[in-house]
Amino acid sequence: QKEVEQNSGPLSVPEGAIASLNCTYSDRVSQSFFWYRQYSGKSPELIMSIYSNGDKEDGRFTAQLNKASQYVSLLIRDSQPSDSATYLCARGGLTGGGNKLTFGTGTQLKVEL
Amino acid sequence: DAGVTQSPTHLIKTRGQHVTLRCSPISGHKSVSWYQQVLGQGPQFIFQYYEKEERGRGNFPDRFSARQFPNYSSELNVNALLLGDSALYLCASSVTSTLRDTEAFFGQGTRLTVV
Protein backbone atom coordinates (compact mmCIF):
# COMPACT_ATOMS: atom_id res chain seq x y z
CA GLN A 1 0.00 0.00 0.00
CA LYS A 2 1.37 3.40 -0.97
CA GLU A 3 1.83 5.91 1.82
CA VAL A 4 -0.18 8.58 -0.01
CA GLU A 5 -2.62 7.59 -2.74
CA GLN A 6 -4.36 9.72 -5.33
CA ASN A 7 -6.35 8.92 -8.42
CA SER A 8 -4.15 9.98 -11.35
CA GLY A 9 -7.13 11.14 -13.40
CA PRO A 10 -7.57 13.03 -15.57
CA LEU A 11 -10.52 14.57 -13.77
CA SER A 12 -12.52 16.68 -16.17
CA VAL A 13 -14.98 19.32 -14.95
CA PRO A 14 -16.80 22.09 -16.80
CA GLU A 15 -15.90 25.69 -16.16
CA GLY A 16 -17.73 27.04 -13.12
CA ALA A 17 -18.25 23.62 -11.54
CA ILE A 18 -16.81 22.28 -8.28
CA ALA A 19 -13.75 20.07 -8.66
CA SER A 20 -13.25 17.49 -5.92
CA LEU A 21 -9.80 15.97 -5.48
CA ASN A 22 -9.22 13.14 -3.06
CA CYS A 23 -6.28 11.64 -1.24
CA THR A 24 -5.87 8.79 1.25
CA TYR A 25 -2.89 8.01 3.44
CA SER A 26 -1.80 4.83 5.12
CA ASP A 27 -0.68 5.83 8.62
CA ARG A 28 -2.57 7.13 11.65
CA VAL A 29 0.32 9.25 12.94
CA SER A 30 0.54 11.99 10.31
CA GLN A 31 -0.32 15.42 11.64
CA SER A 32 0.13 17.73 8.68
CA PHE A 33 -1.20 17.66 5.14
CA PHE A 34 -0.61 19.84 2.14
CA TRP A 35 -2.00 20.43 -1.32
CA TYR A 36 0.28 21.62 -4.08
CA ARG A 37 -0.60 22.64 -7.62
CA GLN A 38 1.86 21.87 -10.40
CA TYR A 39 1.54 23.16 -13.94
CA SER A 40 3.21 21.14 -16.66
CA GLY A 41 6.97 21.75 -16.66
CA LYS A 42 6.82 23.89 -13.51
CA SER A 43 7.53 23.31 -9.84
CA PRO A 44 4.87 22.60 -7.18
CA GLU A 45 3.10 25.61 -5.71
CA LEU A 46 1.60 25.40 -2.21
CA ILE A 47 -2.16 25.92 -2.17
CA MET A 48 -3.31 24.80 1.25
CA SER A 49 -2.09 23.28 4.47
CA ILE A 50 -4.35 21.55 6.99
CA TYR A 51 -3.52 20.12 10.39
CA SER A 52 -6.85 19.55 12.18
CA ASN A 53 -9.95 17.56 11.39
CA GLY A 54 -12.61 19.50 9.51
CA ASP A 55 -12.62 22.10 6.78
CA LYS A 56 -10.24 24.92 6.00
CA GLU A 57 -11.25 27.50 3.41
CA ASP A 58 -9.10 29.92 1.43
CA GLY A 59 -10.82 31.74 -1.38
CA ARG A 60 -12.14 29.23 -3.90
CA PHE A 61 -10.27 26.38 -2.21
CA THR A 62 -11.45 24.22 0.68
CA ALA A 63 -9.33 21.49 2.22
CA GLN A 64 -11.02 18.78 4.25
CA LEU A 65 -9.29 16.42 6.67
CA ASN A 66 -10.68 13.30 8.31
CA LYS A 67 -7.99 11.60 10.36
CA ALA A 68 -10.23 8.73 11.45
CA SER A 69 -10.79 7.79 7.82
CA GLN A 70 -7.23 8.78 6.81
CA TYR A 71 -8.64 10.98 4.08
CA VAL A 72 -7.92 14.47 2.87
CA SER A 73 -9.60 16.29 0.02
CA LEU A 74 -9.46 19.56 -1.89
CA LEU A 75 -12.51 21.28 -3.31
CA ILE A 76 -12.14 23.97 -5.95
CA ARG A 77 -15.25 26.08 -6.41
CA ASP A 78 -16.05 27.96 -9.61
CA SER A 79 -13.35 26.06 -11.49
CA GLN A 80 -11.50 28.05 -14.14
CA PRO A 81 -9.45 26.87 -17.12
CA SER A 82 -6.41 28.28 -15.30
CA ASP A 83 -7.00 25.65 -12.58
CA SER A 84 -6.06 22.94 -15.08
CA ALA A 85 -2.95 21.38 -13.56
CA THR A 86 -1.76 18.40 -11.54
CA TYR A 87 -2.68 18.55 -7.87
CA LEU A 88 -0.30 16.88 -5.45
CA CYS A 89 -1.33 15.73 -2.00
CA ALA A 90 1.45 15.45 0.60
CA ARG A 91 1.73 14.50 4.25
CA GLY A 92 4.31 15.81 6.67
CA GLY A 93 7.12 13.83 8.27
CA LEU A 94 6.00 11.17 10.70
CA THR A 95 8.51 12.16 13.36
CA GLY A 96 7.10 15.64 13.63
CA GLY A 97 10.56 16.91 12.99
CA GLY A 98 12.32 17.21 9.72
CA ASN A 99 10.92 18.74 6.62
CA LYS A 100 10.02 15.48 4.89
CA LEU A 101 7.02 15.56 2.62
CA THR A 102 5.64 12.33 1.21
CA PHE A 103 3.71 12.96 -1.99
CA GLY A 104 1.08 11.10 -3.91
CA THR A 105 1.47 10.75 -7.65
CA GLY A 106 -0.91 13.63 -8.27
CA THR A 107 -4.32 14.05 -9.90
CA GLN A 108 -4.52 15.78 -13.26
CA LEU A 109 -7.40 18.24 -13.39
CA LYS A 110 -8.82 19.54 -16.66
CA VAL A 111 -11.31 22.39 -16.58
CA GLU A 112 -13.19 22.53 -19.86
CA LEU A 113 -14.81 25.57 -21.43
CA ASP B 1 10.37 39.27 -1.92
CA ALA B 2 12.55 36.70 -3.61
CA GLY B 3 11.33 33.15 -3.43
CA VAL B 4 13.46 30.03 -3.46
CA THR B 5 16.04 30.26 -6.22
CA GLN B 6 17.78 27.33 -7.84
CA SER B 7 20.60 27.15 -10.33
CA PRO B 8 21.07 26.12 -13.01
CA THR B 9 17.56 25.73 -14.45
CA HIS B 10 18.61 23.15 -17.01
CA LEU B 11 21.62 20.88 -17.22
CA ILE B 12 22.79 18.12 -19.55
CA LYS B 13 25.44 15.72 -18.29
CA THR B 14 27.04 12.51 -19.50
CA ARG B 15 26.83 9.22 -17.63
CA GLY B 16 29.56 8.94 -15.01
CA GLN B 17 29.96 12.66 -14.56
CA HIS B 18 29.39 14.66 -11.40
CA VAL B 19 26.83 17.45 -10.92
CA THR B 20 26.29 20.18 -8.33
CA LEU B 21 22.92 21.87 -7.95
CA ARG B 22 22.45 25.02 -5.89
CA CYS B 23 19.61 26.48 -3.88
CA SER B 24 19.03 29.72 -2.00
CA PRO B 25 16.09 29.64 0.43
CA ILE B 26 13.60 32.37 1.12
CA SER B 27 15.10 35.06 3.35
CA GLY B 28 14.59 34.08 6.98
CA HIS B 29 14.12 30.38 6.21
CA LYS B 30 16.65 28.10 7.84
CA SER B 31 15.56 24.74 6.49
CA VAL B 32 16.28 23.43 3.01
CA SER B 33 15.12 20.13 1.56
CA TRP B 34 15.86 18.44 -1.73
CA TYR B 35 13.46 16.36 -3.80
CA GLN B 36 13.70 14.40 -7.03
CA GLN B 37 10.72 14.28 -9.36
CA VAL B 38 10.62 11.96 -12.33
CA LEU B 39 7.96 12.33 -14.99
CA GLY B 40 4.52 11.20 -13.89
CA GLN B 41 5.46 10.85 -10.21
CA GLY B 42 5.29 13.01 -7.14
CA PRO B 43 8.51 14.46 -5.72
CA GLN B 44 10.65 12.04 -3.71
CA PHE B 45 12.49 13.25 -0.60
CA ILE B 46 16.28 13.18 -0.80
CA PHE B 47 17.67 15.31 2.07
CA GLN B 48 16.71 17.89 4.64
CA TYR B 49 19.11 20.35 6.28
CA TYR B 50 18.44 22.70 9.12
CA GLU B 51 20.98 25.01 10.68
CA LYS B 52 23.69 23.33 8.59
CA GLU B 53 22.94 19.88 9.99
CA GLU B 54 21.38 16.95 8.14
CA ARG B 55 17.96 16.27 9.65
CA GLY B 56 16.65 13.68 7.25
CA ARG B 57 17.71 11.45 4.40
CA GLY B 58 15.55 9.61 1.91
CA ASN B 59 16.13 6.29 0.22
CA PHE B 60 18.81 7.40 -2.22
CA PRO B 61 22.27 5.91 -2.83
CA ASP B 62 25.45 7.36 -1.37
CA ARG B 63 26.17 8.95 -4.73
CA PHE B 64 23.84 11.68 -3.54
CA SER B 65 25.16 14.13 -0.96
CA ALA B 66 24.32 17.63 0.18
CA ARG B 67 25.39 20.38 2.50
CA GLN B 68 24.10 23.66 3.86
CA PHE B 69 26.18 26.79 4.24
CA PRO B 70 26.19 29.43 7.00
CA ASN B 71 23.92 31.65 4.88
CA TYR B 72 21.45 28.71 4.68
CA SER B 73 21.98 28.13 0.98
CA SER B 74 22.52 24.54 -0.03
CA GLU B 75 24.17 22.32 -2.61
CA LEU B 76 23.11 18.90 -3.83
CA ASN B 77 25.87 16.78 -5.33
CA VAL B 78 25.40 13.67 -7.40
CA ASN B 79 28.39 11.52 -8.39
CA ALA B 80 28.72 8.89 -11.08
CA LEU B 81 25.56 9.96 -12.87
CA LEU B 82 23.24 7.31 -14.25
CA LEU B 83 20.60 7.66 -16.93
CA GLY B 84 18.01 7.11 -14.21
CA ASP B 85 19.13 10.27 -12.43
CA SER B 86 17.45 12.32 -15.15
CA ALA B 87 14.72 14.22 -13.34
CA LEU B 88 13.52 17.57 -12.03
CA TYR B 89 15.42 18.36 -8.83
CA LEU B 90 13.50 20.56 -6.47
CA CYS B 91 14.62 22.56 -3.48
CA ALA B 92 12.14 23.54 -0.79
CA SER B 93 12.64 25.98 2.05
CA SER B 94 10.76 26.45 5.28
CA VAL B 95 11.16 28.53 8.40
CA THR B 96 11.94 25.68 10.77
CA SER B 97 12.81 22.02 10.63
CA THR B 98 9.34 20.78 11.51
CA LEU B 99 6.28 20.67 9.35
CA ARG B 100 3.77 21.22 12.11
CA ASP B 101 2.41 24.72 11.66
CA THR B 102 4.89 25.56 8.94
CA GLU B 103 4.92 25.21 5.21
CA ALA B 104 7.48 24.35 2.55
CA PHE B 105 7.93 26.41 -0.62
CA PHE B 106 9.59 25.09 -3.74
CA GLY B 107 12.03 26.71 -6.13
CA GLN B 108 11.61 26.50 -9.89
CA GLY B 109 13.72 23.34 -10.03
CA THR B 110 16.71 22.16 -12.01
CA ARG B 111 15.96 19.91 -14.97
CA LEU B 112 18.82 17.40 -15.19
CA THR B 113 19.21 15.26 -18.27
CA VAL B 114 21.82 12.50 -18.25
CA VAL B 115 22.82 11.19 -21.68
Side-chain angles (χ1 to χ4, degrees):
Chain A
Q1 183 182 10
K2 292 182 179 179
E3 293 183 75
V4 178
E5 294 206 54
Q6 297 181 257
N7 187 321
S8 61
L11 172 66
S12 293
V13 300
E15 184 179 5
I18 296 175
S20 178
L21 303 161
N22 304 314
C23 173
T24 58
Y25 57 96
S26 61
D27 69 86
R28 292 187 175 275
V29 181
S30 293
Q31 296 294 316
S32 53
F33 301 88
F34 306 86
W35 283 100
Y36 286 83
R37 176 176 62 196
Q38 187 171 28
Y39 293 111
S40 180
K42 302 296 184 182
S43 64
E45 173 191 7
L46 181 65
I47 300 175
M48 295 279 287
S49 60
I50 186 165
Y51 307 104
S52 303
N53 279 328
D55 296 358
K56 179 182 178 182
E57 185 174 322
D58 184 0
R60 295 187 297 113
F61 299 97
T62 299
Q64 299 174 319
L65 175 61
N66 184 325
K67 292 185 179 180
S69 300
Q70 297 172 230
Y71 176 93
V72 59
S73 65
L74 180 70
L75 301 178
I76 306 175
R77 290 181 297 280
D78 188 23
S79 296
Q80 301 297 310
S82 59
D83 294 325
S84 297
T86 295
Y87 289 80
L88 296 162
C89 171
R91 65 149 175 80
L94 285 175
T95 62
N99 194 6
K100 176 183 177 180
L101 292 167
T102 301
F103 286 86
T105 55
T107 298
Q108 185 183 6
L109 173 66
K110 293 184 177 180
V111 180
E112 300 169 332
L113 296 171
Chain B
D1 287 345
V4 181
T5 57
Q6 293 186 243
S7 64
T9 55
H10 295 83
L11 202 52
I12 299 175
K13 289 287 191 177
T14 303
R15 278 178 298 174
Q17 284 189 317
H18 163 90
V19 68
T20 297
L21 310 181
R22 296 178 175 83
C23 171
S24 293
I26 294 169
S27 178
H29 286 198
K30 298 182 178 180
S31 175
V32 169
S33 294
W34 289 94
Y35 291 81
Q36 180 196 66
Q37 187 177 26
V38 298
L39 197 62
Q41 299 295 317
Q44 296 291 314
F45 174 76
I46 309 175
F47 284 111
Q48 191 241 341
Y49 278 79
Y50 177 69
E51 291 281 17
K52 301 181 290 295
E53 292 186 0
E54 182 183 303
R55 293 299 185 94
R57 173 185 286 254
N59 188 24
F60 281 81
D62 291 344
R63 300 184 295 107
F64 288 76
S65 64
R67 56 179 175 168
Q68 187 177 33
F69 299 100
N71 65 353
Y72 304 111
S73 67
S74 178
E75 284 183 353
L76 175 69
N77 296 283
V78 186
N79 292 323
L81 285 166
L82 303 174
L83 294 179
D85 294 331
S86 296
L88 179 66
Y89 287 85
L90 296 160
C91 172
S93 83
S94 61
V95 174
T96 70
S97 66
T98 64
L99 277 173
R100 179 72 190 185
D101 298 324
T102 190
E103 297 167 334
F105 301 90
F106 284 92
Q108 79 276 26
T110 294
R111 176 75 61 186
L112 173 64
T113 303
V114 182
V115 296

